Amino acid sequence: MDPATIIGIVVAFGALYAMLTIEGAYVSSLLLPAPMILVFGATIAVGIAGGTVRDTITAFKALPGAFRGKTTPPVQVIDQVVGIAETARKSGLLALEQEADNVSDPFLRGALQNIADGTDGDELRMLLEDEIATKARSGRSASKFFTSLGGYAPTVGIIGTVVSLTHVLENLDTPETLGPMIAAAFVATLWGLLSANFLWLPIGARLRRLSDIEIDRLTLLMEGVLAVQAGSQPRLLGERLRAMVPLEDLPKGEAKAKAAGVAGEAPTGKVKTKSKGKKATAEDTAEAA
């Protein structure tokens, strides 16, 4: 579980509470039912109106995942694929059918089953790429829904403020009530901005990031199982898959080794170039003599 979203939202509202406390204001002055009902209700309503009912259902089904943030480390994926490669190398590709029965991930299970059934490599790649593209569209749809709420909320808050100020102008004959009524009118704008920047936009960004991480995982699995089908050597396959993973996503030991390997390539090239240059110079001298 990655609690980044929970931590961020709690700290954001905590900072707001700290500001209210320092200024001597009361939280109850912001918790007014009327503007909150308008901002949250109308924002979600126009979000639904901007898409389909299925989009809304998909987005709210994805909402718990945004707070859990459960992801699979790339190293765990690589180790799993390398284990499958070792099984295929020892027992053949037909053994992957039994391996598929022990896999809970439907994407990997389907890929292994297709390999065991003798599906052509190019056809299997097309099938897996289509599944990944469909998964990416679903993730973008959920993210887009909450991001659109973040765009609607401030405007809905302004609408609530305008409505409340209209009511204020109708009661100019009671000046003793104008201050509280004007303050209450701006609460709608406040909740529009708060909900957009403290809730909807962060949730939309979070779902997009989780979708990207999931697509990276599926891509890693796809390249791995296709290499297994092609008969790749397990150790070489592990190195290839690790090369596809950013340094920050690898364990510290592997990240340092990978960084040292990348850094060590440049000096080697320079030495070779210099040596080649000396050799060329010697040959030129010999020819000149």
Side-chain angles (χ1 to χ4, degrees):
M1 177 177 176
D2 187 330
T5 298
I6 297 175
I7 292 173
I9 292 176
V10 169
V11 171
F13 278 101
L16 175 64
Y17 177 77
M19 176 186 172
L20 291 173
T21 303
I22 292 172
E23 293 191 350
Y26 297 98
V27 177
S28 58
S29 63
L30 303 182
L31 300 178
L32 302 180
M36 293 178 67
I37 291 173
L38 173 67
V39 169
F40 284 96
T43 297
I44 295 174
V46 294
I48 296 173
T52 65
V53 174
R54 186 178 296 276
D55 292 336
T56 305
I57 295 173
T58 301
F60 279 99
K61 281 184 177 180
L63 188 58
F67 291 95
R68 288 195 303 267
K70 186 178 180 181
T71 58
T72 303
V75 175
Q76 182 177 334
V77 176
I78 294 172
D79 292 342
Q80 184 179 20
V81 173
V82 170
I84 292 171
E86 292 174 349
T87 300
R89 193 175 183 84
K90 293 177 182 178
S91 307
L93 295 179
L94 290 177
L96 298 183
E97 184 173 6
Q98 183 177 359
E99 190 76 16
D101 295 334
N102 301 323
V103 174
S104 59
D105 182 6
F107 180 85
L108 180 58
R109 183 170 61 247
L112 295 179
Q113 186 64 53
N114 277 285
I115 292 175
D117 292 342
T119 305
D120 180 73
D122 292 336
E123 293 181 358
L124 180 58
R125 175 176 288 276
M126 291 176 59
L127 174 63
L128 297 180
E129 286 179 346
D130 288 343
E131 288 188 28
I132 292 174
T134 302
K135 186 74 174 180
R137 284 198 302 270
S138 177
R140 286 196 300 267
S141 175
S143 171
K144 184 179 178 181
F145 177 82
F146 289 104
T147 302
S148 67
L149 296 188
Y152 293 135
T155 305
V156 173
I158 293 174
I159 293 173
T161 298
V162 172
V163 172
S164 295
L165 288 177
T166 302
H167 179 61
V168 169
L169 294 176
E170 293 177 347
N171 293 273
L172 291 178
D173 55 341
T174 56
E176 67 278 1
T177 63
L178 291 182
M181 291 177 66
I182 293 174
F186 282 101
V187 170
T189 298
L190 175 63
W191 275 109
L193 294 171
L194 277 180
S195 62
N197 294 282
F198 283 16
L199 293 175
W200 308 131
L201 292 178
I203 290 174
R206 169 77 158 186
L207 288 174
R208 182 60 183 264
R209 176 59 180 151
L210 292 177
S211 175
D212 291 342
I213 293 174
E214 177 65 7
I215 296 307
D216 290 342
R217 184 187 75 85
L218 296 180
T219 302
L220 206 61
L221 282 175
M222 179 185 72
E223 295 297 336
V225 296
L226 290 174
V228 170
Q229 185 184 37
S232 180
Q233 197 268 345
R235 184 184 62 81
L236 182 62
L237 174 59
E239 293 180 358
R240 177 192 170 192
L241 294 180
R242 281 177 172 81
M244 297 172 59
V245 179
L247 289 177
E248 59 270 16
D249 292 335
L250 291 173
K252 291 184 179 180
E254 294 185 14
K256 289 181 179 179
K258 183 177 177 181
V262 173
E265 292 176 1
T268 304
K270 290 181 180 179
V271 172
K272 288 182 178 179
T273 304
K274 186 175 181 181
S275 174
K276 184 178 179 181
K278 286 182 177 180
K279 184 177 179 182
T281 304
E283 291 175 356
D284 292 342
T285 303
E287 289 178 1

